[in-house]
Amino acid sequence: MSGQALSTRAPSMGAHYAVQLPAPDDFAFWRDQARALVQCEVPPDRVSWIEPGGTGDLFAQNGASGLAKRLPVPDRDSRPARASKRFLSLARNAALHSDPERFALLYRLLWRLQSNPRMMEDKTDLDVRRVEELDKSVRRDSHKMHAFVRFRQVEDGAGGEHYVAWFEPDHHIVRANAGFFMRRFANMNWSILTPRGCLHWDGETMRESGPAQRSDAPDGDPVEELWKSYYASIFNPARLKVGAMLSEMPKKYWKNMPEAALIPDLIAGAQAREANMVAAGTREARELPDSLAELAEAARNCRDCPIADCGTRAVMGEGAQRAPLMIVGEQPGDQEDLAGRPFVGPAGQLLDAALAQAGIDRSAAYVTNAVKHFKFVQRGKRRIHQTPTAKEIDTCRWWLESERAIVKPRVILALGASAARGLLGKTVSLKAARGAPIMLEDKAELWVTAHPAYLLRLDGEARAEQAALFAADLAAVNARLEELGEFHSRSP
């Protein structure tokens, strides 16, 4: 190895051995040497693993016998070294880590595996946990390389096209990822320059070269303006989560990505862009009808979302056109679809009883749903309720907002999270939202509680507990209506 003559004798007591690795990412070489050392029963504290340019440690240079020993060669009858598949899988990646102790860690694990073959299953073992951490870091670094390498076009000197990218990996992953880029950009002539070594592909042959500097890579090319324009156009501010974005795309990579220069301004303008997207994505402008009857007539022809194509009817609200209280559920159910009226099934019967108990006259309120068609799946002869998606709720919001504009309620009671989203345009936590009013833009107060259908699905103590909370919410709404002078309680 490296020109050394290998001893065939068993290691002497107290001898130290220095293994000079030909490359910092040469797992195959480490594996062969580690296997031989294990077969020769050389314990981990008697081996130093030295990367190119390294000098090893004090014991490797001045062992008990004065000098580091030549590596032993196992006898033919030596017991083969054993390693589990899990160890080999983790070790291949861990060997690419930049931790200078990684090869010593791997050898120590391999040594221990000989007496405890199931050791890799022990999640509390410090060595096992450490090698898992190294593996995870290397896989993440490779993922970042796949995602954030940006090629820039340069002249190759012969009038052809050549593409060059600059990347700064944290670990020794460049050669390990050569195959990925060769397969993905097989028809391009390209180079990837890094401080840990470079790759060059001419369409047929992969070539390596030594480390590069950032100044060796081009700063930009004419195509980048087109790419920036494309990136800005597909940036979706409605889905922006800055924390998650920074976790997946840390700022350290931004300097090598042309589109990253746009990110601060895109983040800053996300809220305004989201509002524009909402406005641009709405249906053609419709004139608000003068009455609820005209609105219901218009809703019969609605085909704005897939639910309307299920063969069900649009079930609009019912109640006084100037009701002080609007009650909003999720969507009509099977019986509501058949009757063409909201809240006439089991959930409606429970709601009626709870309203009466709280002293609220349903006939003086306007009762409707966030979604106007019944969404279901057919199971034999039964139509089973399906929860509408956020997009379906948002699409149907125009009808709910139109009802609000005509009724002009002072207080709105949302039954469940879907109803709350239909009124707020965003999903809220029922637990966090209930118990206190939410002021809306038109000065109406929104109160949120559970949907009565939720209570019907509960039993025993859970149902009693939730029924008590539901009753308290309705009582609070009634008290607020009396306080506003808008409602006269009925005796429960």
Side-chain angles (χ1 to χ4, degrees), residues 162 190-193 198-202 205-210:
H162 192 81
W190 52 260
S191 296
I192 299 178
L193 312 182
C198 305
L199 300 172
H200 310 275
W201 172 253
D202 63 5
T205 304
M206 182 70 72
R207 181 171 57 87
E208 300 176 22
S209 64

Side-chain angles (χ1 to χ4, degrees), residues 137-150 152 166-171 173 214 245-261 263:
S137 294
V138 168
R139 286 189 287 108
R140 181 175 176 82
D141 203 25
S142 293
H143 170 71
K144 300 307 181 190
M145 185 175 181
H146 296 172
F148 300 138
V149 160
R150 294 291 184 269
R152 291 176 162 107
W166 171 258
F167 186 72
E168 299 173 32
D170 292 328
H171 307 295
I173 63 168
R214 179 66 183 85
M245 182 190 74
L246 291 176
S247 175
E248 288 299 314
M249 188 169 63
K251 284 191 175 182
K252 61 172 286 186
Y253 299 105
W254 289 19
K255 60 182 179 294
N256 302 321
M257 301 165 58
E259 69 272 26
I263 292 176

